[in-house]
Amino acid sequence: MDTMDSLDLFLAERACERIVIGFVHRLDLGEPASVAELFTEDGTWEWPAGERLVSGRDALRTYFGSRPADRLSRRLMSNILVTVTSPDTATATSYFTTHRVDGHEGGLLPPGPPVQVGHYTDTFHRSPDGTWLLSTRTLHLAFGGPTPRPPRP
């Protein structure tokens, strides 16, 4: 990119990668509602095949905060490709695999197949204070199924 030096370009790419990874970390190991803080105030999360569109930070907080309390999940992110399109905008594509169960009561579970495999397409904007945030995130599923419940002894 002609208007950014290589260090600024690297820092922008890394900031966007951290958002991609931070998103799944917050869902799996943190406070799911805090995912909203990674978005711009008017940010959107969309799942076209699931006919879901969540717009605005407050709605995102409510949506992600409503995940079941007994859900155990682990998402694996890979192939994160960030493209800086201007000093204040970027796009990314990243692949994900989701393992999860509802009704988890603690302890180790036997491994099972993933319930989702797909990719995200993202757009990012840099705020006036220099912080990068998600502007849009769209989920594309290649493989998916229902969230199972763990086997009972």
Side-chain angles (χ1 to χ4, degrees):
M1 161 147 290
D2 295 337
T3 59
M4 296 177 75
D5 67 32
S6 57
L7 179 58
D8 288 336
L9 183 63
F10 172 79
L11 293 173
E13 290 171 347
R14 184 65 183 126
C16 294
E17 288 172 1
R18 295 242 347 147
I19 292 170
V20 169
I21 295 166
F23 183 95
V24 297
H25 180 81
R26 289 175 184 222
L27 284 179
D28 292 342
L29 299 174
E31 174 53 45
S34 74
V35 164
E37 304 310 314
L38 300 174
F39 285 84
T40 59
E41 283 293 335
D42 62 348
T44 62
W45 180 89
E46 183 177 11
W47 181 13
E51 297 182 6
R52 295 182 197 162
L53 174 63
V54 184
S55 298
R57 196 177 276 165
D58 290 338
L60 290 161
R61 188 175 296 108
T62 299
Y63 178 79
F64 288 108
S66 69
R67 93 183 228 141
D70 63 355
R71 176 168 286 171
L72 173 66
S73 62
R74 293 296 182 271
R75 289 168 180 81
L76 308 175
M77 297 301 301
S78 65
N79 302 353
I80 302 169
L81 179 61
V82 175
T83 302
V84 177
T85 54
S86 81
D88 296 322
T89 60
T91 62
T93 301
S94 56
Y95 289 39
F96 68 88
T97 303
T98 304
H99 296 265
R100 72 174 175 233
V101 297
D102 285 344
H104 184 251
E105 296 175 356
L108 182 66
L109 295 176
V115 296
Q116 293 179 332
V117 177
H119 72 278
Y120 293 116
T121 55
D122 299 323
T123 62
F124 302 89
H125 283 94
R126 187 166 66 164
S127 62
D129 72 0
T131 304
W132 285 89
L133 295 169
L134 272 167
S135 180
T136 66
R137 168 159 273 196
T138 305
L139 181 149
H140 306 274
L141 280 184
F143 305 95
T147 300
R149 298 191 71 78
R152 297 288 175 225

